[in-house]
Amino acid sequence: QLQLVESGGGLVQPGGSLRLSCAASGFNLDYYAIGWFRQAPGKEREGVSCISSSGGRKHYADSATGRFTISRDNAKNTVYLQMNSLKPEDTAVYYCAAAMSWCHLHDMDYWGKGTLVTVSS
């Protein structure tokens, strides 16, 4: 069964950090660009960051630039999102998704079920 599984979410205080992981099973992530997306309550899902299959190309949304870092370890079939200086507005369910080409919200091939990140004091 092909699936992506996110982990690492939780409750963190403003200014804190979390590292999300996206692990694949049933297929090899080496050939896929991986994106992180998020959906806050009452809002549409939005892109956060994307990394190419080789890891050589990365993109960040303006809201993530300078605070979040995407990386991948193809040997572990896992992609990470390091999130620092978290703000309450980062509260959302975070999803990872895979695409053969690049990350486009409505054109991803596989999606995980998400992990909840809550930033609150």
Side-chain angles (χ1 to χ4, degrees):
Q1 185 177 0
L2 307 178
Q3 61 177 351
L4 293 170
V5 179
E6 304 92 339
S7 62
L11 174 63
V12 63
Q13 292 186 342
S17 298
L18 284 174
R19 188 177 81 156
L20 305 184
S21 299
C22 172
S25 61
F27 68 107
N28 194 330
L29 280 183
D30 289 13
Y31 306 108
Y32 292 85
I34 304 298
W36 284 98
F37 301 83
R38 69 185 183 185
Q39 188 165 16
K43 295 188 177 181
E44 295 185 353
R45 192 171 299 188
E46 63 179 5
V48 176
S49 184
C50 184
I51 187 168
S52 63
S53 57
S54 68
R57 179 186 176 193
K58 300 176 184 179
H59 175 76
Y60 298 95
D62 289 345
S63 59
T65 299
R67 300 188 300 126
F68 295 2
T69 302
I70 193 169
S71 62
R72 65 190 300 154
D73 185 341
N74 285 348
K76 294 183 178 180
N77 222 22
T78 301
V79 174
Y80 305 98
L81 184 69
Q82 177 68 43
M83 305 188 297
N84 298 328
S85 302
L86 284 162
K87 306 174 182 180
E89 51 264 44
D90 294 317
T91 295
V93 177
Y94 283 72
Y95 301 88
C96 67
M100 286 295 291
S101 54
W102 188 240
C103 303
H104 300 283
L105 177 60
H106 300 295
D107 198 27
M108 305 302 286
D109 297 305
Y110 302 104
W111 285 89
K113 294 183 178 180
T115 185
L116 177 63
V117 171
T118 303
V119 184
S120 175
S121 55

